[in-house]
Amino acid sequence: MSESGHEAPVDEASADEASVDEAPIDRPVYLTSCIVLGLLAGAAVLFPESTASMFDDLLAGIIANGSWYYVLVVTVIFVAVMLLAVSRFGDIRLGPDHASPDYSRLSWFSMLFAAGMGIGLMFFGVAEPVMHYLSPPLGEGSTVDAAREAMKLTFFHWGLHAWSIYAIVAMILAYFSYRHGLPLTLRSALYPLIGERIHGPIGVAVDVFAVVGTTFGVATSLGFGVEQINAGLNYLFDVPKGPGTQVVLVVVTMLLAGVSVMTGLDRGIKRLSETNIILAVGLLLLVLVLGPTVAILQALMQNTGGYLSDLAGKTLNLYAYDPTDWLGGWTIFYWGWWMSWAPFVGLFIARISRGRTIREFVLGAMLIPAGFTLLWMTVFGNTAIDLIHNQGDVALGAMVEADPAVALFGFLERFPLSGLLSAVAIVMVLVFFITSADSGALVLNMLSSHGRDDTPPARRAFWVGVIGVAAIALLLAGGLSALQTATIAGAFPFSLALLAGMWGFRQALVIDLAKRDIILAGTPATAADGWQAHLRQLLSFPDRDEAYATIAERVQPAVRAVADEFARNGVTARVASEDQGVRLEVLHGTEIDFVYEVRVRTHPLPDAALSGTADTAEHFRPEVHLSEGGQGYDVADWPQSRIETDIVEQYERHLQFLHTLR
C-alpha cells in the first residue's frame, strides 16, 4: 500500500496468485471472536434456563425501546441504495474501470439467492402468509381483507428492504476491496473515516462484530432449516422430533457442508446453488400448475401493486397508535435477521460481484432476487390461503398455527404426488442448509484471514464447525425464541458500524466521481500525426511481441524520463517493471498518489477481414491505466515524446482532482 493508503486495483489475472501459505490468520480477530462465541455458546449449553430467560428479557427491552431505531436504520439503507442506483454513482464499477464480471448472470444469481434467503423461503413460504391471514396485526382474521393484508405484509418483509441491506454491505466491501485494494473485510468500509487506523483495534472490533453477528445470523437460518427437516421427516416417516434429532441433523449437515467448503467456491457452492435453483424453479412451477393458476397470477399482480402502493406507509409503521406485540415478533425480527446476515451475505455477494457497475449490481442483486422471492411467496402463500379460505381446509390452518416448521409438508400433501414433492422439498432444505453453512464458513474464514479466501481447507472447515456449535447451542437454549432474540440483539452493534461505513462509502464515491469528471473532461485523442496516421493506427492489430516491444523501446524510457524530471524537482516518483507492463507512481504523502501504468491487454479481433490475418483470433494493446483502471486507449503507435506528454497531462488532471478535494 502506498503512503496515502491506496493500492492499485487487483487485475483479473492476479486475483488468486498468492499461495495458501501467504494467507495468515488475523490473530486478534480470530482469537477474540472464538472467545466471545465460546462464552456465548457455553452459557447457552450449560445454563439453558437462565440463558432463555435472559434472551426473553433482552428481546422485550429491544422491542419496547429500540423498535424505532431498527425501522429508521432499514429505511435509511433502503433509500440510500435506491438513490445510488438512479444517480451518477451507478456508473462506477466495483473494481477497476476495465474489469469484467467473474461469473455469468445465472451463476451469480444462483449463488446470491442460495446464500441469501433459501432456507427462509422454504420455512416461511407457506407459514407466514397463513399466519398473517389467521392472526393479522390489526383487524379480524380469516377474512378477505386479512388475506389481502397478509400478502402485503409478507411482501414487505421479504422484498426490497431485505435485499437493500444485503446490497449496501456488498457494495461497500466490493468497492473498497476491488477498486482501492483494501482487504475484503468489514473494516475497510471505515477507511475514508479513520484511514490507516482500520488496521488497529477499531478495525479488529468491527470485524469481531461481523464474525459474531454472522455466526448467529447463519445459526438462526440453520435453526429454522433443521427444525423444518426434522418436521418433514417426522411428518413423512415418523422420525422422532426434538432436540436430540435436531442435533444429529445439524452434525450430519455440517459434515456435508464441510466437504462442500473444502472443494472451494467454484466447485462447491456454485454447483450446489445452481442445482438448488433448478429444483426451486421446478417445485414452484409444479405448485403453480397444480394449484389455482389463474387466481395465483392475478394475485401476483395485485400483491405487487398493493406492496408498492403501501411501501412508504409500511416502512415507517411502528403501530404507535395501535400498540401490538406483533411488530417485535415479525417486522423487527426480520430487520434484525437481515442485518445479522448482512456481513455474511454482503461479503459473500461482494466476493462474487467483482466487475459489475453499481447500477447493474443494484438491479441484479435487489430486483431479480426480490422479484423471484415475491413470486415464490405468492405461489405458495396465496395457494395455501385459497385452500383455507375458499376450499374450507381449516386443518391446514390449524397445522400451520401449531407448528410452522411442518407447514410446507402439510401444504404439499394436498397435491398429487405429494410424497415426491415433499421429498424434493426436504432435499432443497438440506442443500440450502449446506450452501448457507458453506458460504457462511467462507465469509468467517475471510474475516479472520485479512479478507483472503485462499486459505488451507482445514481452516474453512473449522468455521463450519463453529456455525454448527452455535446452531446447536441456540436450539438447546430455547429453540426458535432464542434464535430470534440472538438475531435481533446481534444486529444492533453491526448497524452502528454499517451507518458509519455508509457515510465513508458516500465520501469515497464523491471523490471517485470528481476524479472521473476531470479525467473525462480531458481524455487524450488517440490520433498520432494527422488523420492518415490515425487511420493506420485503427487498422493496426499488433501481436504479443510488438506490444511488449512498444513497452520496452518507448514506454519504459518515457516513464523513466518523467520520473527523473520529478526527482530533479524534488518529488518522489517510483518506476516498477511488471509482468504485463511498466508502472509510475508519484507519491503525495497523505494525499492520493498519482499512478500511470501501461499494461498489455489481450482483445479479440473486431473483424479478421480488417487485419488481413484471418487465422489470428486476438491482438495485444499496450493500454494506459490509472489508479481507477484502464482508460480505454493505447499507445501502440505513439513516439516516446507523445507518451511523455500524456503522462504529464494525466498528472495535471490528477493535480486538478486533488485541488477539488481541498
Side-chain angles (χ1 to χ4, degrees):
M1 183 172 288
S2 67
E3 293 181 18
S4 68
H6 291 260
E7 286 186 334
V10 181
D11 190 48
E12 294 93 336
S14 61
D16 296 317
E17 287 178 354
S19 67
V20 167
D21 295 336
E22 295 175 336
I25 289 178
D26 188 339
R27 293 190 180 278
V29 173
Y30 176 80
L31 295 176
T32 306
S33 300
C34 288
I35 291 172
V36 172
L37 291 170
L39 291 174
L40 292 173
V45 173
L46 297 176
F47 310 103
E49 293 183 1
S50 300
T51 304
S53 177
M54 179 193 71
F55 279 156
D56 291 340
D57 294 340
L58 181 60
L59 180 60
I62 292 174
I63 293 172
N65 303 304
S67 296
W68 65 271
Y69 171 75
Y70 283 79
V71 169
L72 177 62
V73 170
V74 172
T75 303
V76 169
I77 292 171
F78 176 67
V79 172
V81 171
M82 292 295 99
L83 291 177
L84 283 173
V86 300
S87 69
R88 294 178 62 212
F89 295 133
D91 297 327
I92 296 174
R93 195 170 293 277
L94 300 176
D97 288 337
H98 61 275
S100 58
D102 293 338
Y103 297 96
S104 68
R105 286 189 174 89
L106 176 60
S107 296
W108 181 54
F109 169 66
S110 299
M111 286 190 283
L112 65 89
F113 177 79
M117 289 185 176
I119 289 179
L121 291 183
M122 299 297 292
F123 191 95
F124 288 103
V126 172
E128 181 170 351
V130 171
M131 294 173 77
H132 293 332
Y133 163 71
L134 297 174
S135 301
L138 299 174
E140 184 180 354
S142 301
T143 64
V144 173
D145 289 339
R148 187 183 300 114
E149 187 66 15
M151 295 312 303
K152 288 183 183 179
L153 291 170
T154 303
F155 271 38
F156 175 58
H157 291 149
W158 292 84
L160 297 174
H161 291 77
W163 288 97
S164 68
I165 297 171
Y166 294 165
I168 193 65
V169 175
M171 278 192 289
I172 291 172
L173 296 176
Y175 175 83
F176 285 110
S177 177
Y178 298 137
R179 196 163 179 88
H180 292 281
L182 294 171
L184 190 57
T185 62
L186 203 64
R187 70 176 70 186
S188 297
L190 302 183
Y191 187 85
L193 301 179
I194 63 175
E196 294 296 324
R197 284 180 291 172
I198 65 169
H199 302 296
I202 297 177
V204 170
V206 170
D207 283 346
V208 168
F209 281 144
V211 169
V212 174
T214 294
T215 301
F216 284 113
V218 176
T220 299
S221 290
L222 300 187
F224 285 127
V226 76
E227 288 237 351
Q228 191 170 34
I229 293 173
N230 192 185
L233 293 175
N234 173 261
Y235 189 78
L236 297 172
F237 308 112
D238 291 325
V239 174
K241 184 178 180 182
T245 303
Q246 291 166 9
V247 169
V248 172
L249 289 172
V250 170
V251 172
V252 171
T253 50
M254 288 300 99
L255 290 174
L256 295 174
V259 173
S260 175
V261 78
M262 293 178 72
T263 62
L265 177 63
D266 290 335
R267 287 179 294 174
I269 301 175
K270 177 183 174 183
R271 291 178 181 175
L272 285 174
S273 299
E274 291 175 346
T275 300
N276 228 28
I277 200 67
I278 293 172
L279 292 176
V281 170
L283 183 61
L284 180 78
L285 292 176
L286 282 174
V287 175
L288 176 62
V289 171
L290 296 174
T293 307
V294 175
I296 291 173
L297 296 176
Q298 290 175 335
L300 176 63
M301 301 299 292
Q302 186 167 336
N303 292 344
T304 304
Y307 166 62
L308 294 176
S309 64
D310 289 356
L311 196 58
K314 279 192 164 43
T315 296
L316 298 173
N317 187 6
L318 284 159
Y319 298 92
Y321 298 102
D322 298 286
T324 172
D325 294 335
W326 180 93
L327 181 69
W330 287 102
T331 302
I332 302 305
F333 162 65
Y334 274 124
W335 292 173
W337 192 10
W338 305 146
M339 280 193 279
S340 291
W341 257 43
F344 150 50
V345 180
L347 199 154
F348 180 77
I349 295 176
R351 171 66 179 80
I352 63 176
S353 299
R354 183 179 188 271
R356 302 188 184 275
T357 65
I358 288 177
R359 182 172 297 108
E360 179 188 11
F361 176 87
V362 171
L363 293 176
M366 275 189 63
L367 298 184
I368 294 177
F372 184 86
T373 300
L374 301 185
L375 174 61
W376 181 279
M377 289 299 189
T378 295
V379 171
F380 285 84
N382 274 100
T383 304
I385 291 175
D386 177 75
L387 287 170
I388 299 170
H389 185 80
N390 295 324
Q391 301 182 37
D393 192 349
V394 294
L396 177 60
M399 180 186 299
V400 173
E401 287 191 308
D403 186 0
V406 80
L408 177 63
F409 303 102
F411 169 77
L412 293 176
E413 189 183 32
R414 272 67 180 173
F415 292 88
L417 303 175
S418 59
L420 175 61
L421 295 178
S422 296
V424 171
I426 290 178
V427 171
M428 288 177 60
V429 175
L430 179 62
V431 175
F432 278 133
F433 197 132
I434 293 172
T435 54
S436 294
D438 193 340
S439 46
L442 174 72
V443 167
L444 292 174
N445 178 59
M446 293 174 68
L447 287 169
S448 60
S449 301
H450 304 284
R452 299 271 293 278
D453 65 351
D454 53 342
T455 57
R459 197 184 302 174
R460 300 194 294 272
F462 166 78
W463 287 109
V464 172
V466 170
I467 293 171
V469 170
I472 291 171
L474 290 174
L475 286 169
L476 296 178
L480 296 182
S481 176
L483 293 168
Q484 288 182 327
T485 306
T487 296
I488 295 173
F492 177 74
F494 171 72
S495 68
L496 299 175
L498 179 57
L499 290 174
M502 289 171 61
W503 182 253
F505 184 43
R506 177 193 174 277
Q507 288 183 306
L509 290 177
V510 169
I511 292 173
D512 204 326
L513 201 59
K515 188 169 187 180
R516 175 187 291 261
D517 289 342
I518 291 170
I519 291 173
L520 291 178
T523 300
T526 56
D529 298 316
W531 67 266
Q532 293 94 339
H534 190 187
L535 180 59
R536 286 195 299 272
Q537 181 180 350
L538 293 176
L539 298 178
S540 173
F541 299 96
D543 58 23
R544 183 188 300 272
D545 292 340
E546 291 171 332
Y548 280 104
T550 298
I551 297 287
E553 296 170 5
R554 297 195 297 277
V555 177
Q556 284 189 346
V559 168
R560 295 191 182 280
V562 174
D564 291 342
E565 189 62 27
F566 272 116
R568 281 191 286 271
N569 285 274
V571 178
T572 302
R574 299 188 302 212
V575 178
S577 295
E578 301 180 349
D579 291 341
Q580 294 179 316
V582 61
R583 174 185 177 92
L584 170 68
E585 294 182 0
V586 181
L587 307 185
H588 282 269
T590 59
E591 295 188 295
I592 299 173
D593 298 337
F594 171 70
V595 175
Y596 185 98
E597 181 178 2
V598 177
R599 184 186 308 175
V600 174
R601 293 185 60 81
T602 307
H603 297 275
L605 286 176
D607 187 340
L610 292 178
S611 68
T613 56
D615 58 337
T616 303
E618 57 191 13
H619 68 290
F620 299 81
R621 287 165 39 113
E623 297 181 0
V624 173
H625 288 62
L626 304 178
S627 60
E628 302 76 35
Q631 298 304 296
Y633 67 96
D634 69 87
V635 298
D637 288 341
W638 289 12
Q640 178 178 329
S641 60
R642 181 171 174 78
I643 298 172
E644 294 164 347
T645 300
D646 187 54
I647 298 173
V648 175
E649 289 175 349
Q650 292 287 11
Y651 182 69
E652 180 182 13
R653 296 182 191 106
H654 183 76
L655 292 180
Q656 183 181 351
F657 160 66
L658 294 181
H659 177 70
T660 64
L661 303 182
R662 298 189 182 106

